Amino acid sequence: MKRLFRYLLVVLVIAPLSVVAASSSAPPALAEDNGLGLTPMMGWSTWGPLGTSPSAALDEQAASDLVSTGLSKLGYDYVDQDDFWYECPGSQGP
């Protein structure tokens, strides 16, 4: 009886699922072959260390540090001014 149950399970459930899975493969993704997006953007964000008092001088120092520490050779090539660069004109928000 167990053997019959296993056979029916394979025939009625597993076999149709494998046919559906084999026949419904997704087409390959289309993408430009231009070299962009091969690695994630790599850089330094001002949010943690600068908090609420960023400045152009601190950003320039961060960029200089990326070069002097050798991180720029590893792909770290941007400094992100994360927050507090915009002065809200009123209490309504940006």
Side-chain angles (χ1 to χ4, degrees):
M1 185 67 170
K2 286 183 183 181
R3 188 178 279 174
L4 178 62
F5 177 75
R6 287 183 195 156
Y7 176 77
L8 288 175
L9 179 67
V10 169
V11 170
L12 297 175
V13 176
I14 297 173
L17 289 177
S18 63
V19 170
V20 169
S23 64
S24 65
S25 62
L30 300 175
E32 295 290 328
D33 187 19
N34 59 10
L36 295 176
L38 298 177
T39 60
M41 291 177 39
M42 296 168 62
W44 183 78
S45 177
T46 62
W47 174 249
L50 300 184
T52 60
S53 56
S55 69
L58 290 172
D59 285 345
E60 289 173 10
Q61 182 62 49
S64 176
D65 290 345
L66 287 178
V67 173
S68 67
T69 60
L71 289 172
S72 64
K73 292 179 183 174
L74 299 175
Y76 290 85
D77 58 1
Y78 76 92
V79 174
D80 173 34
Q81 182 59 261
D82 193 320
D83 205 351
F84 293 100
W85 55 268
Y86 175 76
E87 185 175 338
C88 185
S91 62
Q92 76 279 3

